[in-house]
Each structure stands twice: as C-alpha cells, then as structure tokens.
Amino acid sequence: MPRPVWKGHVSFGLVNVPVTLYPAEQRSDLKLHMLDSRNNSRIRYERVNEETGEEVPWDSIVRGYEYSDGNYVVLSDEELKRAAPEVTKTVEIQSFVNADEIDPIYFDTPYYLEPGKGGDKGYVLLRDAMKDSGRVGIAKVVIRTRQYIAALSPHGDALILELLRYPQEIRSIKDLKLPAGPAKAHGVSAPELKVARTLIDAMAGEWDPDQYTDEYRTELMKWIEKRMESGDVKRPADLPDVEEEPATGPINFMDVLKKSLEQNEPKSGRRPSPRTQKKAPKRKAG
C-alpha cells in the first residue's frame, strides 16, 4: 500500500467525512540511470549551497519566498500547514455536475480516498448518493502547498479524487496549423467518408484497459536481458538496421480504406451496420 498523502475530511453541505488520501497512479516506467560514459559511474544530483559549495542535508532545507532580490521569508513545513489548517485538510465540494460535462483534457492525477475512523457511514452516503444522481463533486483541495480543483466520483466501492487542470494550464489550439472547415473543403469525398465510418464501425469494441500493455517496455527489457545473458553489459548491443520507408506519391485513401476494411471484416463476412453499433459509453460517475 502506498504512503498516504494526507489525512483530512470531505465536506459537502454540513456533512464532514474523515478520509485519508492515497495516490491511485502507479507508474511502470523503466528506470534508466544517467552514467558517465568514461567509466559507467552513476551521475548524481546534489543539493549544494550556492555560496559555500557544500552539500546541504535534507533536514536543513526549508522553503523561502523571495520578496526582494536575495531577501526571503522562510517557511517551515509546519508553518505551511498552520497558515490555513481548514483549507489544507479539507476536500471542500463546491457543486455537483454531470460527469460527462467535464472535458477529458482537464483530468490530471487520480487519488483514492479511504474513510477515516468513524467515517464509513458518511463515506457510503456520499458515494451511493452520487451514484444515484450520476453526478460528480467539484471540490477544492490543497496538496503540497498548492490548491487544486478536483472531481470527486464513485468508483466501485471507492471514492476517487481526480485533480483537474485549471483552464489557464491548457494551451490554446489557435496557434496550431489545423485543417479547419468541412471535410469536403480538404478534398475528402462523401464515399471516402462513408467507407471510413464503416471501418470505424467494423473496428468498434468494448473498452477493456486490461488488453493493452506497454510493448515498448517489453521489447526494451528483452534487449536488456539479452545483454545480461551475453555478459556484455557495457557496450551498446548491435541493433538491427531500421529500413527507411520509400518515398511515396499521393495516397489513394479509398484503396487504403477498403484494404483496411477487408482486414477487419467479421468472420461471418457481414459488416456491422452503423445503426446496430453500440455507442461509445460516456464517462460515468461510477
């Protein structure tokens, strides 16, 4: 079980539910260290005092706000917590909205909420009431000296708190060179669009995250294991040559679409009708 981020309570109306916040994200990135190529020694980062050049131990590090050049207001972790104890220990729900109203681009980091001592009834009350309503709670929460907006939603027996990005944190698309306007204005014919839609319907399926794996990580681990077995762990292994794709002329999209459709034909040979296709499920509260 991961270490808790903090303990506090969820408040909605006059109801307060004691909870503990846990990270829900578990990264599986392949950890690669930076080495000095001359002797393969680890390169380490040090916390160095810029005046003395000496390394600073963790227990001597504090945070400071620079109010003028070289002058700081020093703040300890305890002071940061005491500055606004109610704000830093509360997931304060501001309103409830329909789950599908939140654009996925706003979602950032998920956390689990576990009920604290004596909090089971209030936890279940909030969880099941949101399930029945189909809504999620929009809340304010402070984590590590920063206030976030977040979406609180039921997920099975759990409540999940997903930090949301502020609008100003999302880059505008207006500076991108995007093909605006209808498909016809960009040379896409009605038959091409129809076949593309048929291909999408043929490839439709139920969302199952368990069927997806990090293929790049798997293949990279095979190379690492091959190097370990050979005993040659210092010199980069010889990799197969990657053939460059030959330059091609204009693409005949209709031919490509039809070939793709043939590869995705159901075994019965019948193509699923767009009318019989299940629509992609909207993001639900639970």
Side-chain angles (χ1 to χ4, degrees):
M1 188 69 183
R3 294 174 60 182
V5 176
W6 60 250
K7 293 184 179 181
H9 57 271
V10 174
S11 70
F12 63 109
L14 299 177
V15 180
N16 289 296
V17 183
V19 293
T20 302
L21 190 71
Y22 288 95
E25 187 178 40
Q26 180 173 284
R27 302 302 297 265
S28 60
D29 296 343
L30 195 62
K31 190 173 182 179
L32 299 176
H33 299 286
M34 288 194 294
L35 308 176
D36 186 330
S37 63
R38 294 169 295 183
N39 61 1
N40 290 318
S41 295
R42 283 273 300 275
I43 297 174
R44 298 186 181 277
Y45 293 97
E46 295 182 345
R47 302 169 301 280
V48 178
N49 184 311
E50 66 177 17
E51 291 187 7
T52 66
E54 297 178 354
E55 186 173 359
V56 182
W58 279 113
D59 58 7
S60 296
I61 295 177
V62 294
R63 293 181 177 88
Y65 173 78
E66 188 174 18
Y67 61 90
S68 64
D69 190 21
N71 295 304
Y72 298 88
V73 174
V74 177
L75 298 168
S76 67
D77 288 343
E78 191 58 35
E79 285 178 307
L80 291 170
K81 294 177 182 177
R82 285 207 309 258
E86 292 186 5
V87 173
T88 58
K89 290 297 181 182
T90 306
V91 177
E92 183 183 357
I93 298 177
Q94 307 289 303
S95 63
F96 292 92
V97 303
N98 291 326
D100 57 5
E101 290 180 7
I102 306 175
D103 191 316
I105 198 172
Y106 286 98
F107 287 94
D108 191 355
T109 308
Y111 288 89
Y112 290 129
L113 287 175
E114 178 185 76
K117 186 176 181 179
D120 285 9
K121 182 175 180 179
Y123 189 94
V124 171
L125 173 65
L126 176 58
R127 182 194 68 195
D128 288 12
M130 284 198 293
K131 283 183 179 180
D132 290 343
S133 71
R135 293 186 174 92
V136 299
I138 301 301
K140 290 182 177 179
V141 59
V142 174
I143 299 177
R144 299 188 182 97
T145 74
R146 181 187 172 188
Q147 188 174 62
Y148 297 87
I149 51 172
L152 182 67
S153 61
H155 183 75
D157 290 334
L159 284 174
I160 288 184
L161 186 75
E162 295 185 81
L163 301 188
L164 302 176
R165 299 181 179 94
Y166 286 102
Q168 61 268 26
E169 294 178 304
I170 299 173
R171 295 181 185 274
S172 172
I173 64 171
K174 64 181 181 181
D175 294 329
L176 300 178
K177 296 178 180 179
L178 303 175
K184 185 178 180 180
H186 299 279
V188 179
S189 67
E192 286 174 330
L193 201 57
K194 183 177 180 180
V195 176
R197 170 58 197 274
T198 304
L199 176 59
I200 290 173
D201 290 337
M203 296 177 67
E206 297 293 331
W207 164 240
D208 179 12
D210 291 332
Q211 68 177 306
Y212 299 98
T213 58
D214 187 345
E215 296 175 1
Y216 174 76
R217 186 182 190 278
T218 300
E219 293 302 317
L220 187 55
M221 279 305 303
K222 289 180 180 179
W223 279 106
I224 292 173
E225 290 167 1
K226 179 179 178 181
R227 294 277 304 283
M228 292 169 62
E229 290 172 0
S230 69
D232 184 5
V233 295
K234 293 184 179 180
R235 185 179 60 82
D238 293 330
L239 299 177
D241 293 332
V242 178
E243 295 183 3
E244 294 186 4
E245 294 185 4
T248 58
I251 299 174
N252 187 321
F253 283 100
M254 185 61 83
D255 286 347
V256 173
L257 287 168
K258 288 181 177 179
K259 289 179 181 177
S260 299
L261 192 57
E262 290 172 2
Q263 293 177 0
N264 287 277
E265 288 254 357
K267 291 182 179 179
S268 62
R270 295 178 59 188
R271 297 176 184 172
S273 168
R275 294 183 180 179
T276 61
Q277 286 294 307
K278 294 182 179 179
K279 293 184 178 179
K282 293 182 178 179
R283 188 184 184 94
K284 295 182 179 179

